[in-house]
Amino acid sequence: MTSSRAQRAVLLTALTAVGALALSACSGGDTGKSGGGGGTGFVTDTGGISTAAEGHRKATKKVAGDTLEGEKLDLADFKGKVVVVNVWGSWCAPCRAEAKHFAKVSTELEPKGVQFVGINTRDTSKSPALAFEREYKIPYPSLYDPIGKLLINGFPRGTLMPQAIPSTVVLDREGKIAARALKALSEEDLRKLIDPVLAEK
């Protein structure tokens, strides 16, 4: 396979996966089902929140790139902190609904060793995404991932990977995926997602 054909194949795979995300994007439905099967160690409640026991967690792959502001960012640099990864788009109404809660909770939990990181996806230019961050006073960085490469390549299959927009994933201090929500979160739900992981020693 030529280099250009290989690149097209990778791009097609990325676009197909993003299309699958688009089908579940902003649906607002809470199915209470996770992507795991038997033996995964996932526990899912009916509110669209899933958790993985400490012995059943997997680390992310490389999740790194340029932020909306043009800075380099790598999730691996935050090892030792609890990391909250929120997948969002400026076009997504549920993302707008939850944004104020993420801005507030991220500011309050930062001194406790919690780092928030966004992954902005399906915005074809940075301008609307940057306007979103300004409007909602988002204090943390977001990786720019317009065609979903980070979502496809950064989260192993069979784990609590992002599967909708919005999605929120919580990584423990070792960089392993501990919890996931496939819906817009209230402040209360966001804290419920983070607090058990933060309490771990």
Side-chain angles (χ1 to χ4, degrees):
M1 184 180 288
T2 66
S3 174
S4 62
R5 285 182 65 194
Q7 289 172 344
R8 281 197 302 270
V10 169
L11 181 60
L12 181 60
T13 301
L15 290 173
T16 301
V18 172
L21 270 177
L23 292 176
S24 57
C26 297
S27 65
D30 297 337
T31 63
K33 302 293 183 187
S34 77
T40 61
F42 299 176
V43 177
T44 306
D45 70 18
T46 55
I49 294 176
S50 305
T51 58
E54 288 188 63
H56 293 275
R57 296 175 187 168
K58 291 184 180 178
T60 63
K61 297 180 182 178
K62 188 171 182 66
V63 180
D66 293 329
T67 67
L68 289 169
E69 292 77 18
E71 304 290 330
K72 296 291 183 188
L73 187 148
D74 188 336
L75 286 190
D77 293 340
F78 299 122
K79 208 163 186 182
K81 294 185 175 185
V82 172
V83 179
V84 180
V85 181
N86 178 244
V87 180
W88 63 279
S90 68
W91 44 268
C92 168
C95 300
R96 291 181 169 275
E98 71 178 4
K100 63 183 179 182
H101 307 307
F102 278 74
K104 179 183 179 186
V105 174
S106 65
T107 300
E108 292 178 359
L109 293 185
E110 184 180 12
K112 297 183 179 181
V114 179
Q115 174 65 51
F116 277 62
V117 175
I119 298 180
N120 171 257
T121 192
R122 292 183 59 216
D123 273 310
T124 55
S125 75
K126 292 182 178 181
S127 297
L130 288 166
F132 177 104
E133 289 191 329
R134 287 192 299 272
E135 180 179 353
Y136 293 100
K137 299 179 173 60
I138 302 298
Y140 52 85
S142 282
L143 288 159
Y144 183 51
D145 188 30
I147 64 169
K149 281 185 177 180
L150 296 177
L151 300 177
I152 296 160
N153 300 323
F155 296 87
R157 291 188 178 277
T159 66
L160 295 175
M161 59 190 292
Q163 293 178 334
I165 303 167
S167 287
T168 303
V169 173
V170 179
L171 309 181
D172 64 20
R173 291 178 179 87
E174 295 179 2
K176 295 181 178 179
I177 304 168
R180 176 192 66 189
L182 298 178
K183 64 175 188 174
L185 295 174
S186 65
E187 180 180 343
E188 180 183 4
D189 282 342
L190 180 56
R191 291 183 185 277
K192 281 182 182 176
L193 195 69
I194 299 167
D195 287 349
V197 185
L198 185 58
E200 294 172 359
K201 300 301 181 187

